Coordinates of all heavy atoms in Angstrom, one line a residue:
M8 N 0.9 -1.2 0.0 CA 0.0 0.0 -0.1 C 0.9 1.2 0.0 O 2.0 1.3 0.6 CB -0.9 0.0 1.2 CG -1.8 1.2 1.4 SD -3.0 1.0 2.6 CE -4.4 1.5 1.6
A9 N 0.5 2.2 -0.7 CA 1.2 3.5 -0.9 C 1.1 4.3 0.5 O 0.1 4.4 1.1 CB 0.7 4.3 -2.0
R10 N 2.2 4.9 0.8 CA 2.2 5.8 2.0 C 1.7 7.2 1.5 O 2.1 7.6 0.4 CB 3.6 5.9 2.5 CG 4.1 4.7 3.2 CD 5.5 4.8 3.7 NE 6.3 4.7 2.5 CZ 7.6 5.1 2.3 NH1 8.2 5.7 3.3 NH2 8.2 5.0 1.2
P11 N 1.0 7.9 2.3 CA 0.6 9.3 1.8 C 1.8 10.1 1.5 O 2.8 10.2 2.1 CB -0.1 9.8 3.1 CG -0.5 8.7 3.9 CD 0.6 7.6 3.6
G12 N 1.7 10.8 0.3 CA 2.7 11.7 -0.1 C 3.9 10.9 -0.8 O 4.7 11.6 -1.4
R13 N 3.9 9.7 -0.7 CA 5.0 8.9 -1.3 C 4.5 7.7 -1.9 O 4.6 6.6 -1.3 CB 6.1 8.7 -0.2 CG 7.3 8.0 -0.8 CD 8.2 8.9 -1.5 NE 9.4 8.2 -1.8 CZ 10.2 8.6 -2.8 NH1 10.0 9.7 -3.4 NH2 11.3 7.9 -3.1
P14 N 3.9 7.7 -3.1 CA 3.4 6.5 -3.7 C 4.5 5.5 -4.0 O 5.6 5.8 -4.4 CB 2.8 7.0 -5.0 CG 2.6 8.4 -4.9 CD 3.7 8.9 -3.9
A15 N 4.2 4.2 -3.8 CA 5.1 3.2 -4.1 C 4.7 2.5 -5.4 O 3.7 1.9 -5.6 CB 5.0 2.0 -3.0
R16 N 5.5 2.8 -6.4 CA 5.3 2.3 -7.8 C 6.0 1.0 -8.0 O 6.9 0.9 -8.7 CB 5.7 3.4 -8.8 CG 4.9 4.6 -8.8 CD 5.4 5.7 -9.6 NE 4.7 6.9 -9.2 CZ 5.1 7.7 -8.1 NH1 6.1 7.3 -7.4 NH2 4.5 8.8 -7.9
R17 N 5.5 0.0 -7.3 CA 6.1 -1.4 -7.4 C 5.1 -2.3 -8.1 O 3.9 -2.2 -7.9 CB 6.3 -2.0 -6.1 CG 7.6 -1.6 -5.5 CD 8.0 -2.6 -4.4 NE 9.2 -2.1 -3.9 CZ 10.5 -2.4 -4.3 NH1 10.5 -3.2 -5.4 NH2 11.5 -2.0 -3.8
T18 N 5.6 -3.1 -9.0 CA 4.7 -4.1 -9.7 C 5.4 -5.4 -9.5 O 6.0 -6.0 -10.4 CB 4.7 -3.7 -11.1 OG1 5.9 -3.6 -11.7 CG2 3.9 -2.4 -11.3
G19 N 5.2 -6.0 -8.3 CA 5.8 -7.3 -8.1 C 7.3 -7.2 -7.7 O 7.7 -6.3 -7.1
R20 N 8.1 -8.1 -8.3 CA 9.5 -8.1 -8.0 C 10.3 -7.1 -8.9 O 9.8 -6.6 -9.9 CB 10.1 -9.5 -8.3 CG 9.6 -10.4 -7.4 CD 10.2 -11.8 -7.7 NE 9.2 -12.8 -7.5 CZ 9.5 -14.0 -7.1 NH1 10.8 -14.3 -6.8 NH2 8.6 -14.9 -6.9
G21 N 11.5 -6.8 -8.5 CA 12.3 -5.8 -9.3 C 12.2 -4.4 -8.7 O 11.4 -4.2 -7.8
P22 N 13.0 -3.5 -9.3 CA 13.0 -2.2 -8.8 C 11.7 -1.5 -9.0 O 11.0 -1.8 -10.0 CB 14.1 -1.5 -9.6 CG 14.2 -2.3 -10.8 CD 13.8 -3.7 -10.5
P23 N 11.3 -0.5 -8.2 CA 10.1 0.3 -8.4 C 10.2 1.2 -9.7 O 11.3 1.5 -10.1 CB 9.9 1.1 -7.2 CG 11.3 1.2 -6.6 CD 12.0 -0.1 -7.0
H24 N 9.1 1.5 -10.2 CA 9.1 2.4 -11.4 C 9.1 3.8 -11.0 O 8.1 4.6 -11.2 CB 7.9 2.0 -12.3 CG 8.0 0.8 -12.9 ND1 8.5 0.5 -14.2 CD2 7.7 -0.5 -12.4 CE1 8.4 -0.7 -14.5 NE2 8.0 -1.4 -13.4
L25 N 10.2 4.2 -10.3 CA 10.4 5.6 -9.8 C 11.4 6.3 -10.7 O 12.2 5.7 -11.4 CB 10.9 5.6 -8.4 CG 9.9 5.0 -7.3 CD1 10.6 4.8 -6.0 CD2 8.7 5.9 -7.2
P26 N 11.4 7.7 -10.7 CA 12.3 8.4 -11.5 C 13.7 8.3 -11.0 O 13.9 8.4 -9.8 CB 11.8 9.8 -11.5 CG 11.0 9.9 -10.2 CD 10.4 8.6 -10.0
L27 N 14.6 8.2 -11.9 CA 16.1 8.3 -11.5 C 16.5 9.7 -11.9 O 16.6 10.1 -13.0 CB 16.9 7.3 -12.4 CG 18.4 7.3 -12.2 CD1 18.8 7.0 -10.8 CD2 19.1 6.4 -13.2
R28 N 16.6 10.5 -10.8 CA 17.0 11.9 -11.0 C 18.5 12.1 -11.0 O 19.2 11.4 -10.4 CB 16.4 12.7 -9.8 CG 14.9 12.8 -9.9 CD 14.3 13.6 -8.8 NE 14.5 15.0 -9.0 CZ 14.1 16.0 -8.2 NH1 13.4 15.7 -7.2 NH2 14.4 17.2 -8.5
P29 N 19.0 13.0 -11.7 CA 18.4 14.0 -12.5 C 18.1 13.8 -13.9 O 17.7 14.6 -14.6 CB 19.5 15.2 -12.4 CG 20.8 14.4 -12.4 CD 20.5 13.2 -11.6
L30 N 18.2 12.4 -14.3 CA 18.0 12.1 -15.7 C 16.6 11.9 -16.0 O 16.2 11.9 -17.2 CB 18.8 10.8 -16.0 CG 20.3 10.8 -15.8 CD1 20.8 9.4 -16.0 CD2 20.9 11.8 -16.8
W31 N 15.7 11.7 -15.1 CA 14.3 11.5 -15.2 C 14.1 10.3 -16.1 O 13.3 10.3 -17.0 CB 13.6 12.7 -15.6 CG 13.5 13.6 -14.5 CD1 14.5 14.6 -14.2 CD2 12.6 13.7 -13.4 NE1 14.1 15.2 -13.0 CE2 13.0 14.7 -12.5 CE3 11.5 13.0 -13.1 CZ2 12.3 15.0 -11.4 CZ3 10.8 13.3 -12.0 CH2 11.2 14.2 -11.1
L32 N 14.7 9.2 -15.8 CA 14.5 7.9 -16.4 C 13.9 6.9 -15.4 O 14.1 7.1 -14.2 CB 15.8 7.3 -16.9 CG 16.5 8.1 -18.1 CD1 17.9 7.4 -18.3 CD2 15.7 8.3 -19.2
C33 N 13.1 6.0 -15.9 CA 12.6 5.0 -15.0 C 13.7 4.1 -14.4 O 14.5 3.6 -15.2 CB 11.6 4.1 -15.7 SG 10.8 2.8 -14.8
R34 N 13.7 3.9 -13.1 CA 14.7 3.0 -12.5 C 14.6 1.6 -12.9 O 15.6 0.9 -12.9 CB 14.6 3.1 -10.9 CG 15.0 4.4 -10.4 CD 14.8 4.4 -8.8 NE 15.1 5.7 -8.3 CZ 16.4 6.0 -7.9 NH1 17.3 5.2 -7.9 NH2 16.6 7.2 -7.4
A35 N 13.4 1.2 -13.3 CA 13.2 -0.3 -13.6 C 13.4 -0.5 -15.2 O 14.0 -1.6 -15.5 CB 11.8 -0.7 -13.3
R36 N 13.2 0.5 -16.0 CA 13.2 0.3 -17.4 C 14.2 1.1 -18.2 O 14.5 0.9 -19.3 CB 11.9 0.5 -18.1 CG 10.9 -0.5 -17.6 CD 9.7 -0.5 -18.5 NE 8.8 -1.5 -18.1 CZ 7.5 -1.6 -18.4 NH1 7.0 -0.5 -19.0 NH2 6.8 -2.6 -18.0
A37 N 14.7 2.2 -17.5 CA 15.7 3.1 -18.2 C 15.0 3.8 -19.3 O 15.6 4.3 -20.2 CB 17.0 2.5 -18.6
A38 N 13.7 3.9 -19.4 CA 12.9 4.6 -20.3 C 12.6 6.0 -19.7 O 12.6 6.1 -18.5 CB 11.6 3.9 -20.7
P39 N 12.2 6.9 -20.5 CA 11.8 8.2 -20.0 C 10.6 8.1 -18.9 O 9.7 7.3 -19.2 CB 11.2 9.0 -21.2 CG 12.0 8.4 -22.4 CD 12.1 7.0 -22.0
W40 N 10.8 8.7 -17.8 CA 9.8 8.5 -16.7 C 8.8 9.6 -16.9 O 9.1 10.7 -17.3 CB 10.5 8.6 -15.4 CG 9.5 8.3 -14.3 CD1 9.4 7.0 -13.7 CD2 8.7 9.2 -13.5 NE1 8.5 7.1 -12.7 CE2 8.0 8.4 -12.6 CE3 8.4 10.5 -13.6 CZ2 7.0 8.9 -11.8 CZ3 7.4 11.1 -12.8 CH2 6.7 10.3 -11.9
P41 N 7.5 9.3 -16.7 CA 6.9 8.1 -16.2 C 6.7 7.0 -17.4 O 6.2 7.4 -18.4 CB 5.6 8.4 -15.6 CG 5.2 9.6 -16.4 CD 6.5 10.3 -16.8
C42 N 7.3 5.8 -17.2 CA 7.0 4.8 -18.2 C 5.6 4.4 -18.2 O 4.8 4.8 -17.3 CB 8.0 3.6 -17.9 SG 7.6 2.7 -16.4
A43 N 5.2 3.5 -19.0 CA 3.8 3.0 -19.1 C 3.3 2.4 -17.8 O 2.3 2.7 -17.3 CB 3.6 2.1 -20.3
T44 N 4.2 1.6 -17.2 CA 3.9 1.0 -15.9 C 3.7 2.1 -14.8 O 2.8 2.0 -14.0 CB 4.9 0.0 -15.5 OG1 5.0 -1.0 -16.5 CG2 4.6 -0.7 -14.3
A45 N 4.6 3.0 -14.8 CA 4.6 4.1 -13.8 C 3.3 4.8 -14.0 O 2.6 5.2 -12.9 CB 5.7 5.0 -13.8
R46 N 2.9 5.1 -15.1 CA 1.6 5.8 -15.4 C 0.4 5.1 -14.9 O -0.4 5.6 -14.2 CB 1.4 6.1 -16.9 CG 2.4 7.1 -17.4 CD 2.3 7.3 -18.9 NE 3.2 8.2 -19.4 CZ 3.2 8.7 -20.7 NH1 2.3 8.3 -21.6 NH2 4.2 9.6 -21.0
L47 N 0.4 3.7 -15.2 CA -0.7 3.0 -14.6 C -0.8 2.9 -13.1 O -1.9 3.0 -12.5 CB -0.6 1.5 -15.2 CG -0.9 1.3 -16.7 CD1 -0.6 -0.2 -17.1 CD2 -2.3 1.7 -17.0
C48 N 0.4 2.8 -12.5 CA 0.5 2.8 -11.1 C 0.0 4.1 -10.5 O -0.7 4.2 -9.5 CB 1.9 2.5 -10.6 SG 2.4 0.8 -10.9
L49 N 0.5 5.2 -11.1 CA 0.0 6.6 -10.6 C -1.5 6.7 -10.7 O -2.1 7.2 -9.8 CB 0.7 7.7 -11.4 CG 2.2 7.9 -11.1 CD1 2.9 8.7 -12.2 CD2 2.3 8.6 -9.8
V50 N -2.0 6.3 -11.9 CA -3.5 6.5 -12.0 C -4.2 5.6 -11.0 O -5.2 6.0 -10.4 CB -4.0 6.1 -13.4 CG1 -5.4 6.0 -13.5 CG2 -3.4 7.2 -14.4
S51 N -3.7 4.4 -10.8 CA -4.3 3.6 -9.7 C -4.2 4.1 -8.4 O -5.2 4.1 -7.6 CB -3.6 2.2 -9.8 OG -4.1 1.3 -8.8
E52 N -3.0 4.6 -8.0 CA -2.8 5.1 -6.6 C -3.6 6.4 -6.4 O -4.0 6.7 -5.2 CB -1.3 5.5 -6.5 CG -0.5 4.2 -6.4 CD 1.0 4.5 -6.5 OE1 1.4 5.7 -6.5 OE2 1.7 3.5 -6.7
Y53 N -3.8 7.2 -7.4 CA -4.5 8.5 -7.2 C -6.0 8.4 -7.8 O -6.6 9.4 -8.1 CB -3.8 9.6 -7.9 CG -2.6 10.1 -7.2 CD1 -1.3 9.5 -7.5 CD2 -2.6 11.1 -6.2 CE1 -0.2 10.0 -6.8 CE2 -1.5 11.5 -5.6 CZ -0.3 11.0 -5.9 OH 0.8 11.4 -5.2
A54 N -6.5 7.2 -8.0 CA -7.8 7.1 -8.6 C -8.9 7.8 -7.8 O -9.9 8.3 -8.3 CB -8.2 5.6 -8.7
H55 N -8.7 7.9 -6.5 CA -9.7 8.6 -5.7 C -9.6 10.1 -5.7 O -10.5 10.8 -5.2 CB -9.5 8.1 -4.2 CG -8.2 8.5 -3.6 ND1 -7.0 7.8 -4.0 CD2 -7.9 9.5 -2.7 CE1 -6.0 8.4 -3.4 NE2 -6.5 9.4 -2.6
D56 N -8.5 10.6 -6.2 CA -8.3 12.1 -6.2 C -7.3 12.5 -7.4 O -6.2 12.6 -7.3 CB -7.6 12.4 -4.9 CG -7.6 14.0 -4.6 OD1 -8.0 14.7 -5.5 OD2 -7.2 14.4 -3.5
L57 N -8.0 12.7 -8.5 CA -7.2 13.1 -9.7 C -6.7 14.5 -9.6 O -5.7 14.8 -10.3 CB -8.1 12.9 -10.9 CG -8.5 11.5 -11.3 CD1 -9.4 11.4 -12.5 CD2 -7.3 10.6 -11.5
V58 N -7.3 15.3 -8.8 CA -6.7 16.7 -8.7 C -5.4 16.5 -7.9 O -4.4 17.2 -8.3 CB -7.7 17.5 -7.8 CG1 -7.0 18.8 -7.4 CG2 -8.9 17.8 -8.6
A59 N -5.3 15.6 -6.9 CA -4.0 15.4 -6.3 C -2.9 14.9 -7.2 O -1.8 15.3 -7.1 CB -4.2 14.5 -5.1
L60 N -3.3 14.1 -8.1 CA -2.4 13.5 -9.1 C -1.9 14.7 -10.0 O -0.7 14.8 -10.3 CB -3.0 12.5 -10.0 CG -2.2 11.9 -11.2 CD1 -0.9 11.3 -10.7 CD2 -3.0 10.9 -12.0
S61 N -2.8 15.6 -10.4 CA -2.4 16.7 -11.2 C -1.5 17.6 -10.5 O -0.4 18.0 -11.1 CB -3.7 17.5 -11.6 OG -3.3 18.6 -12.3
V62 N -1.7 17.9 -9.2 CA -0.8 18.7 -8.4 C 0.6 18.0 -8.3 O 1.6 18.6 -8.5 CB -1.4 19.0 -7.1 CG1 -0.4 19.7 -6.1 CG2 -2.6 19.9 -7.2
H63 N 0.6 16.7 -8.0 CA 1.8 16.0 -7.9 C 2.6 16.1 -9.2 O 3.8 16.3 -9.2 CB 1.5 14.5 -7.5 CG 2.6 13.6 -7.6 ND1 3.7 13.7 -6.6 CD2 3.0 12.6 -8.4 CE1 4.6 12.8 -6.9 NE2 4.2 12.1 -8.0
L64 N 1.9 15.8 -10.3 CA 2.7 15.8 -11.6 C 3.1 17.2 -12.0 O 4.2 17.3 -12.6 CB 1.8 15.2 -12.7 CG 1.6 13.7 -12.5 CD1 0.6 13.2 -13.6 CD2 2.9 12.9 -12.6
C65 N 2.4 18.2 -11.6 CA 2.9 19.6 -11.8 C 4.2 19.9 -11.0 O 5.1 20.5 -11.5 CB 1.8 20.7 -11.5 SG 0.5 20.7 -12.7
T66 N 4.2 19.4 -9.8 CA 5.4 19.5 -9.0 C 6.6 18.8 -9.6 O 7.7 19.2 -9.6 CB 5.1 19.0 -7.5 OG1 4.0 19.7 -7.0 CG2 6.3 19.2 -6.6
V67 N 6.3 17.5 -10.0 CA 7.3 16.7 -10.7 C 7.8 17.5 -12.0 O 9.0 17.5 -12.2 CB 6.7 15.3 -11.1 CG1 7.6 14.6 -12.1 CG2 6.5 14.5 -9.9
R68 N 6.9 18.0 -12.8 CA 7.4 18.8 -13.9 C 8.3 20.0 -13.6 O 9.3 20.2 -14.3 CB 6.1 19.4 -14.7 CG 6.5 20.0 -15.9 CD 5.3 20.4 -16.7 NE 5.6 21.2 -17.9 CZ 5.4 22.5 -18.1 NH1 4.7 23.2 -17.2 NH2 5.7 23.0 -19.2
H69 N 8.0 20.6 -12.5 CA 8.9 21.7 -12.0 C 10.3 21.2 -11.7 O 11.3 21.7 -12.1 CB 8.3 22.4 -10.8 CG 9.0 23.5 -10.3 ND1 9.2 24.7 -10.9 CD2 9.8 23.6 -9.2 CE1 10.0 25.5 -10.2 NE2 10.4 24.8 -9.2
G70 N 10.3 20.1 -10.9 CA 11.6 19.5 -10.6 C 12.4 18.9 -11.8 O 13.6 19.1 -12.0
A71 N 11.6 18.3 -12.8 CA 12.2 17.7 -13.9 C 12.8 18.9 -14.8 O 13.8 18.7 -15.3 CB 11.2 16.9 -14.7
T72 N 12.0 19.9 -14.9 CA 12.6 21.1 -15.7 C 13.8 21.6 -15.1 O 14.8 21.8 -16.0 CB 11.5 22.2 -15.8 OG1 10.3 21.6 -16.3 CG2 12.0 23.4 -16.6
A73 N 13.9 21.8 -13.9 CA 15.2 22.3 -13.2 C 16.3 21.4 -13.4 O 17.4 21.7 -13.8 CB 14.9 22.6 -11.8
D74 N 16.0 20.0 -13.2 CA 17.1 19.0 -13.3 C 17.7 18.9 -14.7 O 18.9 18.9 -15.0 CB 16.6 17.7 -12.9 CG 16.5 17.5 -11.4 OD1 17.0 18.4 -10.6 OD2 15.8 16.5 -10.9
L75 N 16.7 18.9 -15.7 CA 17.1 18.7 -17.0 C 17.8 19.9 -17.6 O 18.7 19.9 -18.4 CB 15.9 18.2 -17.9 CG 15.4 16.9 -17.6 CD1 14.0 16.6 -18.3 CD2 16.4 15.8 -17.9
H76 N 17.4 21.1 -17.1 CA 18.1 22.3 -17.5 C 19.5 22.4 -17.0 O 20.4 22.8 -17.7 CB 17.3 23.6 -17.1 CG 17.9 24.8 -17.5 ND1 17.9 25.2 -18.8 CD2 18.6 25.8 -16.8 CE1 18.6 26.4 -18.9 NE2 19.0 26.7 -17.7
R77 N 19.7 21.9 -15.8 CA 21.1 21.9 -15.2 C 21.9 20.9 -16.0 O 23.1 21.2 -16.2 CB 21.0 21.4 -13.7 CG 20.9 22.6 -12.8 CD 21.1 22.2 -11.3 NE 20.2 21.2 -10.9 CZ 18.9 21.5 -10.4 NH1 18.5 22.7 -10.3 NH2 18.2 20.5 -9.9
L78 N 21.4 19.8 -16.5 CA 22.1 18.8 -17.2 C 22.5 19.3 -18.6 O 23.6 19.0 -19.1 CB 21.4 17.5 -17.4 CG 21.3 16.6 -16.1 CD1 20.4 15.4 -16.3 CD2 22.7 16.2 -15.7
H79 N 21.5 20.0 -19.2 CA 21.7 20.5 -20.6 C 21.3 22.0 -20.7 O 20.3 22.4 -21.2 CB 20.8 19.7 -21.6 CG 21.0 18.3 -21.5 ND1 22.1 17.6 -22.0 CD2 20.2 17.3 -20.9 CE1 22.0 16.3 -21.7 NE2 20.8 16.1 -21.0
P80 N 22.2 22.9 -20.2 CA 21.8 24.3 -20.0 C 21.5 25.0 -21.4 O 20.8 25.9 -21.5 CB 22.9 25.0 -19.3 CG 24.1 24.0 -19.3 CD 23.5 22.6 -19.6
H81 N 22.2 24.6 -22.4 CA 22.0 25.2 -23.7 C 20.9 24.6 -24.5 O 20.2 25.3 -25.2 CB 23.3 25.2 -24.6 CG 24.4 25.9 -23.8 ND1 24.4 27.2 -23.7 CD2 25.5 25.4 -23.2 CE1 25.5 27.6 -23.0 NE2 26.2 26.5 -22.7
A82 N 20.7 23.3 -24.4 CA 19.6 22.6 -25.1 C 18.3 22.6 -24.3 O 17.3 22.6 -24.8 CB 20.0 21.2 -25.5
G83 N 18.5 22.5 -23.0 CA 17.4 22.6 -22.0 C 16.2 21.6 -22.4 O 16.2 21.1 -23.6
P84 N 15.3 21.4 -21.6 CA 14.2 20.6 -21.9 C 13.2 21.3 -22.8 O 13.0 22.5 -22.6 CB 13.6 20.2 -20.6 CG 14.0 21.3 -19.6 CD 15.3 21.8 -20.2
D85 N 12.6 20.7 -23.7 CA 11.5 21.3 -24.6 C 10.2 21.4 -23.8 O 9.7 20.3 -23.4 CB 11.4 20.4 -25.8 CG 10.3 20.9 -26.7 OD1 10.2 22.1 -26.9 OD2 9.6 20.1 -27.3
P86 N 9.7 22.5 -23.4 CA 8.5 22.6 -22.6 C 7.3 21.8 -23.1 O 6.7 21.1 -22.3 CB 8.2 24.1 -22.5 CG 9.5 24.7 -22.7 CD 10.3 23.8 -23.7
P87 N 6.9 21.9 -24.4 CA 5.7 21.1 -24.8 C 6.0 19.6 -24.7 O 5.1 18.8 -24.4 CB 5.6 21.5 -26.3 CG 6.2 22.8 -26.4 CD 7.4 22.9 -25.5
A88 N 7.3 19.2 -25.0 CA 7.5 17.7 -24.9 C 7.5 17.3 -23.4 O 7.0 16.2 -23.1 CB 8.9 17.4 -25.5
L89 N 8.0 18.1 -22.5 CA 8.0 17.8 -21.1 C 6.5 17.7 -20.6 O 6.2 16.9 -19.8 CB 8.8 18.7 -20.3 CG 9.4 18.2 -19.0 CD1 10.2 16.9 -19.1 CD2 10.3 19.3 -18.4
F90 N 5.7 18.6 -21.1 CA 4.3 18.6 -20.7 C 3.6 17.4 -21.2 O 2.9 16.7 -20.4 CB 3.5 19.9 -21.3 CG 2.1 19.9 -21.0 CD1 1.7 20.3 -19.8 CD2 1.2 19.4 -21.9 CE1 0.2 20.2 -19.5 CE2 -0.1 19.3 -21.7 CZ -0.6 19.8 -20.4
A91 N 3.9 17.0 -22.5 CA 3.3 15.8 -23.0 C 3.7 14.6 -22.2 O 2.9 13.7 -21.9 CB 3.6 15.7 -24.4
R92 N 5.0 14.5 -21.9 CA 5.5 13.4 -21.1 C 5.0 13.2 -19.7 O 4.7 12.2 -19.3 CB 7.0 13.5 -21.1 CG 7.8 12.5 -20.4 CD 9.3 12.7 -20.5 NE 10.1 12.1 -19.5 CZ 11.4 12.3 -19.4 NH1 12.0 13.0 -20.3 NH2 12.0 11.7 -18.4
L93 N 4.8 14.3 -19.0 CA 4.5 14.3 -17.6 C 3.1 14.6 -17.3 O 2.6 14.2 -16.3 CB 5.4 15.3 -16.8 CG 6.9 15.0 -16.9 CD1 7.7 16.1 -16.3 CD2 7.2 13.7 -16.1
L94 N 2.3 15.3 -18.1 CA 1.0 15.7 -17.8 C -0.1 15.3 -18.7 O -1.3 15.1 -18.3 CB 1.0 17.2 -17.5 CG 1.7 17.7 -16.3 CD1 2.0 19.2 -16.3 CD2 0.8 17.3 -15.1
A95 N 0.2 15.4 -20.0 CA -0.9 15.3 -21.0 C -1.5 13.9 -21.0 O -2.7 13.8 -21.5 CB -0.3 15.6 -22.4
W96 N -0.9 12.9 -20.5 CA -1.4 11.5 -20.6 C -2.5 11.2 -19.5 O -3.3 10.3 -19.6 CB -0.3 10.5 -20.4 CG 0.5 10.7 -19.2 CD1 1.6 11.4 -19.0 CD2 0.2 10.1 -17.9 NE1 2.0 11.4 -17.7 CE2 1.2 10.6 -17.0 CE3 -0.8 9.4 -17.4 CZ2 1.2 10.2 -15.7 CZ3 -0.8 9.0 -16.0 CH2 0.2 9.5 -15.2
M97 N -2.5 12.1 -18.4 CA -3.3 11.7 -17.2 C -4.8 11.9 -17.6 O -5.2 12.8 -18.3 CB -2.9 12.4 -16.0 CG -3.1 13.9 -16.0 SD -2.7 14.6 -14.4 CE -4.4 14.7 -13.8
P98 N -5.7 11.1 -16.9 CA -7.1 11.2 -17.1 C -7.5 12.6 -16.7 O -7.1 13.1 -15.7 CB -7.7 10.1 -16.4 CG -6.6 9.4 -15.7 CD -5.3 10.0 -16.0
R99 N -8.5 13.2 -17.4 CA -9.0 14.5 -17.0 C -10.0 14.5 -15.9 O -10.2 15.4 -15.1 CB -9.6 15.2 -18.2 CG -8.6 15.5 -19.3 CD -7.6 16.5 -18.9 NE -6.7 16.9 -20.0 CZ -5.5 16.4 -20.1 NH1 -5.0 15.6 -19.1 NH2 -4.7 16.8 -21.1
R100 N -10.8 13.4 -15.9 CA -11.9 13.3 -14.9 C -12.3 11.8 -14.8 O -12.0 11.1 -15.8 CB -13.1 14.2 -15.2 CG -13.7 13.8 -16.5 CD -14.8 14.8 -16.8 NE -15.0 14.7 -18.3 CZ -15.6 15.6 -19.0 NH1 -16.0 16.7 -18.4 NH2 -15.6 15.5 -20.2
R101 N -13.0 11.5 -13.8 CA -13.5 10.1 -13.6 C -14.5 9.9 -14.7 O -15.3 10.7 -15.1 CB -14.0 9.9 -12.3 CG -13.0 9.8 -11.2 CD -13.6 9.4 -10.0 NE -12.7 8.9 -9.0 CZ -12.9 8.6 -7.8 NH1 -14.1 8.8 -7.3 NH2 -12.0 8.2 -7.0
Q102 N -14.6 8.6 -15.1 CA -15.7 8.2 -16.0 C -17.0 8.2 -15.2 O -17.0 7.7 -14.0 CB -15.4 6.9 -16.5 CG -14.1 6.9 -17.5 CD -14.3 7.8 -18.7 OE1 -15.4 7.8 -19.3 NE2 -13.3 8.5 -19.0
P103 N -18.1 8.5 -15.8 CA -19.4 8.4 -15.0 C -19.7 7.0 -14.7 O -19.4 6.1 -15.5 CB -20.4 9.1 -15.9 CG -19.8 9.1 -17.3 CD -18.3 9.1 -17.0
F104 N -20.4 6.8 -13.6 CA -20.8 5.4 -13.1 C -21.9 4.9 -14.1 O -22.8 5.6 -14.4 CB -21.2 5.5 -11.7 CG -21.7 4.1 -11.2 CD1 -20.8 3.1 -11.0 CD2 -23.1 3.8 -11.1 CE1 -21.2 1.9 -10.6 CE2 -23.4 2.6 -10.7 CZ -22.5 1.6 -10.4
Q105 N -21.7 3.8 -14.6 CA -22.7 3.2 -15.5 C -23.1 1.8 -15.0 O -22.3 1.0 -14.5 CB -22.2 3.0 -16.9 CG -21.8 4.3 -17.6 CD -21.2 4.1 -19.0 OE1 -21.2 3.0 -19.5 NE2 -20.7 5.2 -19.6
Q106 N -24.4 1.6 -15.1 CA -24.9 0.3 -14.6 C -25.1 -0.7 -15.7 O -25.3 -0.4 -16.8 CB -26.2 0.5 -13.9 CG -26.0 1.3 -12.6 CD -27.3 1.3 -11.8 OE1 -28.4 0.9 -12.2 NE2 -27.2 1.9 -10.6

């Protein structure tokens, strides 16, 4: 179970799907974080409060922007690409209950 403020992105054995900072790669897959598994875990962990997920990911975007800019000060992170990677994929609202 996830601790408040610190979701546990674990899927069985192996390393959790957490970001490796300052590169912002998935610790488990070495893919750009959040990987597909991390996204599924985040949506599952925050299913009860999508606003909290949005706030969390906005905070993550701020940290990722700073880290990636420090690593590549001249090329820097591309703001639209970083938005698409960190925020654009998340659900906007809950689906209505259907019987």
